[in-house]
Amino acid sequence: MTDSHVDVLIIGAGISGIDMAHRISERCPELTYTIAEGRDRLGGTWDLFRYPGVRSDSDVYTLSFPFRPWTGEKSIVEGGDLLAYVEETARETGVDKHIEYGTRIVAADWDSATARWRVTASRGGERFDYVVRFVAFCTGYYDYEDPYDPGFTGDFAGRVVHPQFWPPDLDHVGKRVVVIGSGATAVTVVPAMALDAAHVTMLQRTPTYVLAQPSVDVVGRGLAKVLPAGAAHRITRAKNTVMQWALFQACRRWPDRMRALLRKGAVAQVGSADIVDAHFRPPYDPWQQRLCIAPDGDLFKAIRSGDASVVTGRIDRFVPSGVRLEDGSVLEADIIVTATGLRLRLLGGIAISVDGVPADLSQSHAYHGTLLSGLPNLAVCIGYINLSWTVRADLTARFVARLLRKLLDTGADSVVPSPPADLGPTGPFMDMQSGYLARAADLMPRVTRRYPWAFRQNVLLDSWATNRAKLDEGLVFGRVRAEVDA
């Protein structure tokens, strides 16, 4: 294949990639762009995950695109409905015409002499290069091919499945199921499988805070009846963003009070203080790890009805009849679901280099959570971990579009962050105690508490700082085209 020349290459056709493409075309219509997608369909996470009950883990008003109102009835949405919404958005905005499917990006090397990225890709068994001015990584941060494996051993006689690779032929009707894990995936899978399994046991090593939330936003639906769709969506989105922000801030500032409120809500749902105290009272404060949502309290209802149960303990090994715990007890099962979490993979695991020298992301500093020092003309789109992904993804996309506009208007060829010498103490790009983040903390780019080198996981502070960023502060613009042309 011959080289493919394009102004902007967006890697990944999930929510982030669709949002990025729309914002760039909106502000910089003269730029050409291509979205490289390794799979055969768009949608990212929402096309990949097919496990029972897969749904949004935050309300859809904040998870949906701000430029295309969500008009469905529910605010916690099934994965298939969300995927359809993303597909429709891509078609309506024309973004779908720019997607090249089955295209896996292998490596990207910045050439300082030409101010271009040479991005090596593979499609249909053949390799070729994109030659591009700017690269936007919209690949998320999970390793979708190699999930986290705690290293369980044993000789289970039944079937073991991981939610990331859910087999379409798995029949759990009338079967005994043990779901290992207590994160968002387990909290989703357990009540969904409990509807027709003989019994489902959620086996967790450490409890998680779970909050019951209505699946229908009555305020949002009420506004939709009296206001135009766009206005109703914007108001509901703003309301829910502020509410989620306020919940996170309350958990951080008054952890004891919020722990008591979460316990009270769980007891009311389950109907047993003993069950809640044994299995839904983590040893850490609320939002030190992710807070899980149970739409309409479905997990609690499954436990209350007896269709599901929770066991907190450590696994010794798998045995033919199920899972043996360290205390010697055995949880009998026909199916084991290992909802043990995902592994972090930054920038899609693509080999990044500058003039042939491999880049070390852990030595980079993030500029407004979007650009990385030492890597010219490159943006990374990472959503919030304490709020809907799209809230941050859209903030990033609009910032990138604004930056590209400046490059066009000034005639500059390159831009790269340049952190000051007195940057001060730094921490990982995403700082939370969740296992998948803690395991990869040393691999992440660095941030501080001071803008523009901060990524605060605070939508109000981040939005204020990023939307008003002075693009001459902390950035170095370069121009080499005249020398190349000469």
Side-chain angles (χ1 to χ4, degrees):
M1 292 185 181
T2 59
D3 292 347
S4 179
H5 293 257
V6 66
D7 291 323
V8 181
L9 179 66
I10 299 169
I11 304 175
I15 286 179
S16 303
I18 304 302
D19 197 307
M20 182 72 71
H22 175 74
R23 292 306 190 186
I24 290 174
S25 62
E26 184 179 55
R27 187 147 190 170
C28 307
E30 64 269 54
L31 290 178
T32 59
Y33 72 88
T34 293
I35 303 177
E37 170 54 50
R39 297 171 59 79
D40 295 327
R41 290 179 61 183
L42 59 80
T45 295
W46 306 108
D47 174 54
L48 175 66
F49 290 165
R50 304 293 178 88
Y51 54 80
V54 60
R55 55 170 171 79
S56 61
D57 57 358
S58 55
D59 78 281
V60 75
Y61 292 99
T62 54
L63 187 60
S64 58
F65 301 108
F67 51 83
R68 184 170 183 267
W70 170 259
T71 57
E73 290 292 328
K74 290 188 174 182
S75 60
I76 303 295
V77 183
E78 294 180 2
D81 293 336
L82 189 55
L83 176 60
Y85 165 81
V86 175
E87 291 174 333
E88 291 165 5
T89 302
R91 284 195 300 270
E92 289 190 10
T93 57
V95 168
D96 63 327
K97 297 181 177 62
H98 297 261
I99 303 174
E100 296 184 352
Y101 293 103
T103 304
R104 291 190 172 273
I105 305 301
V106 178
D109 180 62
W110 171 259
D111 179 17
S112 298
T114 60
R116 293 290 187 274
W117 282 99
R118 181 167 286 273
V119 182
T120 302
S122 174
R123 185 191 307 139
E126 296 188 54
R127 289 206 172 191
F128 67 100
D129 285 351
Y130 290 102
V131 179
V132 303
R133 299 171 65 181
F134 198 95
V135 179
F137 283 82
C138 297
T139 53
Y141 55 66
Y142 289 136
D143 188 334
Y144 291 112
E145 297 175 358
D146 184 21
Y148 175 64
D149 180 8
F152 298 130
T153 60
D155 52 353
F156 178 55
R159 194 164 182 181
V160 179
V161 299
H162 191 285
Q164 191 167 327
F165 308 110
W166 198 268
D169 64 338
L170 182 66
D171 180 13
H172 66 272
V173 176
K175 304 290 181 62
R176 298 165 301 174
V177 182
V178 172
V179 178
I180 303 174
S182 60
T185 302
V187 169
T188 300
V189 168
V190 169
M193 298 188 76
L195 292 174
D196 42 24
H199 187 79
V200 179
T201 302
M202 185 168 82
L203 171 58
Q204 58 183 12
R205 184 176 61 181
T206 305
T208 297
Y209 290 107
V210 180
L211 174 65
Q213 179 175 310
S215 62
V216 175
D217 189 317
V218 293
V219 174
R221 297 314 305 157
L223 290 173
K225 294 177 181 178
V226 298
L227 295 175
H233 180 86
R234 286 191 296 272
I235 295 171
T236 307
R237 180 184 177 86
K239 170 186 74 73
N240 291 353
T241 298
V242 171
M243 288 179 64
Q244 292 175 33
W245 170 85
L247 173 62
F248 179 79
Q249 296 301 318
C251 289
R252 286 299 178 92
R253 296 189 182 196
W254 305 291
D256 291 341
R257 293 182 186 179
M258 295 307 297
R259 186 186 298 111
L261 285 175
L262 289 167
R263 177 184 180 277
K264 182 178 180 180
V267 170
Q269 291 282 329
V270 176
S272 168
D274 291 340
I275 291 177
V276 171
D277 290 340
H279 306 299
F280 293 100
R281 293 190 70 183
Y284 53 85
D285 290 336
W287 263 121
Q288 284 189 331
Q289 295 188 27
R290 289 198 66 169
L291 180 69
C292 290
I293 299 297
D296 297 324
D298 58 358
L299 174 65
F300 296 130
K301 290 178 180 177
I303 295 170
R304 188 167 191 163
S305 69
D307 294 331
S309 58
V310 185
V311 173
T312 302
R314 290 181 174 271
I315 295 174
D316 174 36
R317 58 181 286 119
F318 290 175
V319 293
S321 61
V323 182
R324 186 171 70 192
L325 305 183
E326 289 184 350
D327 64 7
S329 62
V330 174
L331 301 178
E332 296 188 348
D334 303 300
I335 299 170
I336 296 176
V337 179
T338 55
T340 50
L342 300 171
R343 200 186 303 270
L344 212 68
R345 185 170 68 170
L346 299 176
L347 303 191
I350 297 165
I352 310 296
S353 58
V354 175
D355 296 324
V357 179
D360 183 354
L361 298 182
S362 68
Q363 299 301 307
S364 292
H365 295 84
Y367 182 89
H368 284 294
T370 302
L371 309 178
L372 300 178
S373 64
L375 299 176
N377 290 21
L378 182 148
V380 56
C381 188
I382 298 293
Y384 283 125
I385 54 180
N386 62 354
L387 197 68
S388 287
W389 178 276
T390 316
V391 173
R392 176 67 210 193
D394 187 64
L395 179 63
T396 295
R398 288 185 284 112
F399 177 79
V400 170
R402 179 183 165 206
L403 182 66
L404 290 173
R405 185 73 262 164
K406 182 177 177 68
L407 286 171
L408 288 171
D409 292 344
T410 61
D413 290 308
S414 64
V415 59
V416 64
S418 179
D422 61 345
L423 197 58
T426 65
F429 187 74
M430 294 174 285
D431 189 12
M432 190 173 282
Q433 293 181 8
S434 299
Y436 69 98
L437 295 175
R439 288 191 295 269
D442 293 340
L443 306 176
M444 297 183 195
R446 314 307 290 173
V447 294
T448 71
R449 301 286 292 176
R450 184 180 65 188
Y451 294 104
W453 307 102
F455 185 36
R456 299 287 292 274
Q457 295 290 330
N458 185 318
V459 64
L460 299 187
L461 296 179
D462 287 344
S463 297
W464 178 269
T466 302
N467 289 333
R468 291 162 180 76
K470 298 178 181 178
L471 296 184
D472 293 324
E473 178 186 358
L475 295 178
V476 176
F477 291 84
R479 179 178 173 83
V480 298
R481 188 175 301 140
E483 300 174 7
V484 173
D485 293 343

